[in-house]
Amino acid sequence: MAFSSCKKDYLSFDYTDGTIREEDVWNSDRNSRGFLNTTYAGLINSYNVDNDGALLASASDEAVNSNANSAINIINNGTWGALRTIDDQYSNMYTYIRKTNLFLEKSANSAITPATDIPKLKGEAYFLRAMYHFELMKRYGAVILATRSYTTIDDLDVPKNTVDQVVAQITADCDEAIKVLPESQADWGAADKGRATAGAALALKSRALLYVASPLYNPTGEISKWASAAAAAKQLIDLNKNSLLTVAQLASLWDFSVAASNYSREVIFATNVSAVNSIESNNAPISYDGAKGRTNPTQELVNAFEMKVSGKPITDNTSGYSATDPYSTIGASARDPRLALFVIYNGQNFKSRAVETFVGGKDNVPTNVNNTKTGYYMRKFLSESAAWATGTGSTVVNRNRPWIFFRYSEILLNYAEALNEASGPVIDVYTYINLVRNRAGMPNLPIGLTQSQMRDRIQNERRVELCFEGHRFFDVRRWKKGADFLNKPVSGMQITKTGTTLTYTPFTVESRIFTDKNYFFPIPQAEMNKVVKLTQNPGY
């Protein structure tokens, strides 16, 4: 983290593991602040969930992982269980929750100077405690709330709290943070960019309330929960501290080496910035210096991008879609401009040359184990200026890359979704979803949609705008639509080239399995063995 008080040695110490005495932490201003800094290390960077470049997108209908042996596939093939886990954060999140609790308990009597800084520092800890509880809740559902630092002499055999109780605590912690933290990244000094803000706490509150209002957690459709989610999102909107980047800037949103994206008004909260090229080397097409091409978008995702001129889905016969020119960028057959920004398809330029995913093209080589499985590669997140070649005389170029947890377009969509469920498709619903669409160059939604029709359009807008960012995996679950989207085969596009003529043929890539137990992660068996009162999630 690029914090002024955060030096390398204080990113590693923790008196809870015996490497430093407790009194040495709290009797020092620098050490106390450094301890708080260590609590940020629990933030989850999700560019690599299997230690080989997989995104959680490949465990949803957004993508297929080019590595058939990736552990991400246990979520897709029915072998996910308490003894076969991936993206398991159970123990990790409780470790960092304990750190936040220690800071909340000890900081008031610490040597932090001036003492007037303590409330703001505690605000950061409240936000992080809420964030880590949410990371647990969105994976495991009901979990044990930890609002104090347990010790080895405490009774740790306690039952789960309900999801409503967990979200109430997340909300309360966010409210404490909102009271004392700067409103946005712009309100922090240059050395403190990246710390928690009131805006980040509002964003987390918005998302947590949206989740608990959704059908998975709200089977009776309690309207007041949707209204609370809408109010939290609107409160952040009304701060007027955030706005959308232009569509031209959107392509570099995740590259903090680009001045327009460095803590821009669209970024609300992100992880620390690491200078890497692994995102590109893991995901670029295979002909680019031996890249692995890990995240292969599905045809289902590509089909979700609507038509630019008509604004209609491609399944509408009057939309203007051309099956013989499916990725058009011009005229009445042009697709949503975000398709070219987020997905690499045949003929698209990447790093100043055309990608070839037609049969026999340089980016479609079946003998290469990393070859695209769908006929597509992911474009979102990739920086064209990154370089990862390893040959003699080659140049390596790293880029500053965060994982963005909250950005403004999500908040606009959160508000539109929650308001539509609470009040129907009122004018504000149109206003805020259209802000997201218009930024991308897409027309307004047609007036007169029913609540159900608007729901479908909002869900599709989230699918497109937020693709690959980890939302789809959890959105489908909170909407309780796993059977509709995840228990079916995913497809790709085979392109054959005869002379200059291209022929497009959709094909089935692989089957997927989803059952009701898959709405939640399994609690690892190792954790179950520790706590008698900890009940396993249903079905595992």
Side-chain angles (χ1 to χ4, degrees):
M1 306 291 287
F3 299 156
S4 59
S5 62
C6 184
K7 306 298 183 182
K8 185 179 292 186
D9 51 339
Y10 292 107
L11 284 174
S12 59
F13 83 76
D14 176 4
Y15 72 79
T16 61
D17 67 10
T19 58
I20 190 171
R21 296 181 303 172
E22 180 178 353
E23 57 267 31
D24 291 334
V25 174
W26 306 116
N27 290 338
S28 163
D29 172 64
R30 185 167 180 256
N31 288 4
S32 298
R33 293 173 187 267
F35 186 84
L36 174 63
N37 290 342
T38 69
T39 64
Y40 279 85
L43 294 171
I44 302 168
N45 184 319
S46 296
Y47 283 120
N48 185 2
V49 299
D50 70 341
N51 296 319
D52 193 28
L55 294 171
L56 206 54
S58 294
S60 76
D61 58 351
E62 289 183 319
V64 175
N65 191 274
S66 68
N67 177 11
N69 296 317
S70 171
I72 200 74
N73 288 319
I74 66 174
I75 298 177
N76 301 323
N77 62 22
T79 62
W80 198 15
L83 295 173
R84 284 176 63 91
T85 62
I86 186 171
D87 192 37
D88 168 41
Q89 298 292 339
Y90 195 89
S91 176
N92 189 43
M93 288 300 95
Y94 280 117
T95 295
Y96 284 96
I97 288 171
R98 183 166 191 271
K99 288 175 181 285
T100 63
N101 284 329
L102 282 167
F103 187 84
L104 290 169
E105 293 163 3
K106 303 290 187 179
S107 56
N109 298 314
S110 70
I112 292 174
T113 306
T116 52
D117 284 355
I118 292 175
K120 185 161 62 175
L121 296 171
K122 289 178 71 174
E124 294 179 60
Y126 277 119
F127 167 77
L128 291 168
R129 185 170 74 177
M131 187 74 171
Y132 298 146
H133 273 118
F134 177 74
E135 293 288 358
L136 289 168
M137 169 259 177
K138 76 177 185 179
R139 289 172 172 80
Y140 306 100
V143 293
I144 299 169
L145 276 173
T147 55
R148 64 183 179 88
S149 59
Y150 290 91
T151 69
T152 54
I153 63 173
D154 288 320
D155 179 10
L156 303 180
D157 189 11
V158 293
K160 296 177 182 178
N161 294 86
T162 67
V163 169
D164 282 344
Q165 290 171 332
V166 173
V167 172
Q169 184 63 53
I170 291 170
T171 299
D173 282 350
C174 287
D175 287 341
E176 290 298 317
I178 291 163
K179 293 175 186 176
V180 295
L181 291 178
E183 290 182 335
S184 72
Q185 292 299 325
D187 298 312
W188 276 116
D192 289 322
K193 297 290 188 185
R195 290 189 182 276
T197 63
L202 278 168
L204 174 56
K205 182 178 176 180
S206 163
R207 192 186 293 176
L209 289 173
L210 186 74
Y211 271 51
V212 80
S214 299
L216 180 61
Y217 307 100
N218 183 21
T220 61
E222 189 177 330
I223 297 299
S224 62
K225 291 187 174 183
W226 287 110
S228 295
K234 190 61 163 58
Q235 188 178 350
L236 177 51
I237 292 168
D238 289 345
L239 279 183
N240 197 29
K241 290 287 186 175
N242 299 100
S243 60
L244 298 172
L245 296 177
T246 67
V247 68
Q249 294 168 330
L250 185 59
S252 60
L253 180 64
W254 292 268
D255 186 350
F256 274 28
S257 306
V258 179
S261 297
N262 283 350
Y263 303 105
S264 72
R265 284 173 63 90
E266 184 158 346
V267 177
I268 298 171
F269 189 67
T271 62
N272 62 302
V273 175
S274 300
V276 297
N277 58 28
S278 57
I279 300 164
E280 287 75 21
S281 64
N282 281 333
N283 291 289
I286 57 174
S287 71
Y288 291 79
D289 297 319
K292 295 179 181 178
R294 282 290 177 250
T295 306
N296 306 155
T298 62
Q299 191 62 47
E300 285 73 20
L301 173 62
V302 171
N303 289 348
F305 289 83
E306 299 169 353
M307 304 306 296
K308 180 180 179 180
V309 176
S310 68
K312 297 178 179 179
I314 69 169
T315 52
D316 187 320
N317 291 332
T318 65
S319 68
Y321 174 69
S322 171
T324 59
D325 190 12
Y327 319 121
S328 176
T329 60
I330 58 174
S333 61
R335 299 290 293 278
D336 183 330
R338 288 171 293 187
L339 177 59
L341 293 176
F342 299 163
V343 175
I344 295 176
Y345 48 78
N346 183 66
Q348 184 182 8
N349 280 341
F350 180 69
K351 293 177 76 70
S352 301
R353 64 180 174 85
V355 174
E356 297 179 356
T357 60
F358 58 82
V359 176
K362 59 179 177 289
D363 296 297
N364 188 348
V365 183
T367 55
N368 185 325
V369 295
N370 297 322
N371 189 53
T372 175
K373 303 302 184 289
T374 65
Y376 302 104
Y377 293 95
M378 182 181 70
R379 174 66 183 86
K380 185 183 267 192
F381 308 137
L382 305 191
S383 171
E384 296 212 7
S385 59
W388 56 93
T390 57
T392 303
S394 61
T395 301
V396 172
V397 178
N398 294 322
R399 306 298 289 177
N400 292 329
R401 315 306 295 279
W403 179 265
I404 298 175
F405 290 109
F406 304 108
R407 60 186 182 98
Y408 191 52
S409 63
E410 180 208 343
I411 304 306
L412 299 177
L413 293 173
N414 288 357
Y415 180 55
E417 178 181 348
L419 187 61
N420 183 58
E421 298 300 336
S423 304
V426 296
I427 190 64
D428 259 11
V429 176
Y430 282 92
T431 296
Y432 288 98
I433 190 173
N434 285 336
L435 283 174
V436 178
R437 291 173 64 84
N438 296 165
R439 183 270 292 276
M442 293 293 290
N444 291 342
L445 289 178
I447 298 297
L449 296 177
T450 66
Q451 184 184 49
S452 177
Q453 289 170 332
M454 178 61 80
R455 180 185 299 124
D456 290 343
R457 297 305 288 265
I458 291 170
Q459 290 182 0
N460 195 72
E461 198 66 29
R462 289 183 69 92
R463 184 179 196 175
V464 168
E465 172 71 17
L466 304 176
C467 65
F468 309 124
E469 297 177 47
H471 290 277
R472 180 70 175 174
F473 181 94
F474 293 104
D475 278 349
V476 170
R477 284 168 167 78
R478 68 179 177 84
W479 295 328
K480 211 164 184 185
K481 290 190 171 183
D484 296 336
F485 293 111
L486 306 180
N487 191 40
K488 60 196 302 185
V490 290
S491 307
M493 182 69 78
Q494 179 176 286
I495 305 173
T496 55
K497 185 175 183 181
T498 306
T500 59
T501 301
L502 298 175
T503 303
Y504 302 88
T505 307
F507 69 100
T508 297
V509 177
E510 64 184 29
S511 296
R512 297 282 180 85
I513 297 173
F514 184 95
T515 60
D516 281 350
K517 70 177 183 180
N518 299 135
Y519 279 112
F520 295 109
F521 281 40
I523 297 174
Q525 189 60 46
E527 301 299 327
M528 294 295 302
N529 294 341
K530 297 174 185 176
V531 182
V532 174
K533 294 179 182 178
L534 180 63
T535 55
Q536 181 59 273
N537 280 329
Y540 292 106

